[in-house]
Amino acid sequence: MSRILVTGGSGLVGKAIQRVIETEPEGSKYGKQPGEEWFFIGSSEGDLRDPAATDALFDKYRPTHVIHLAALVGGLFKNMKYK
């Protein structure tokens, strides 16, 4: 049984992957495979910069695989201001 944890699950790429996993037929090339559990988490569930919070997330979900998409983003104007 695979337990896939997707950090940044509330972001653009995370939501796109979640949509594919949830809409493609199970067992298809892009769909969830039999025995897989997917967990899409956002920053509201824990701050990955905090080791204790990260440990708590791993204890809660016990992933066998991690797709790390979490990033600090702020849009165009933040990027321009803080190059």
Side-chain angles (χ1 to χ4, degrees):
M1 177 184 239
S2 295
R3 297 174 59 85
I4 299 103
L5 176 66
V6 181
T7 65
S10 61
L12 180 69
V13 177
K15 283 291 186 189
I17 292 172
Q18 184 176 19
R19 183 173 184 272
V20 170
I21 292 298
E22 292 177 352
T23 59
E24 289 292 315
E26 185 171 324
S28 68
K29 183 175 182 179
Y30 298 110
K32 182 188 304 187
Q33 298 303 305
E36 284 183 345
E37 287 185 88
W38 287 73
F39 305 97
F40 294 85
I41 63 164
S43 58
S44 63
E45 288 205 52
D47 184 349
L48 295 175
R49 297 171 298 175
D50 176 3
T54 302
D55 286 343
L57 282 172
F58 274 70
D59 288 342
K60 179 178 179 180
Y61 293 106
R62 305 188 52 79
T64 58
H65 302 77
V66 176
I67 300 174
H68 182 54
L69 302 174
L72 184 61
V73 295
L76 176 64
F77 292 108
K78 185 174 180 180
N79 290 339
M80 288 169 55
K81 183 176 179 180
Y82 297 107
K83 295 182 189 178

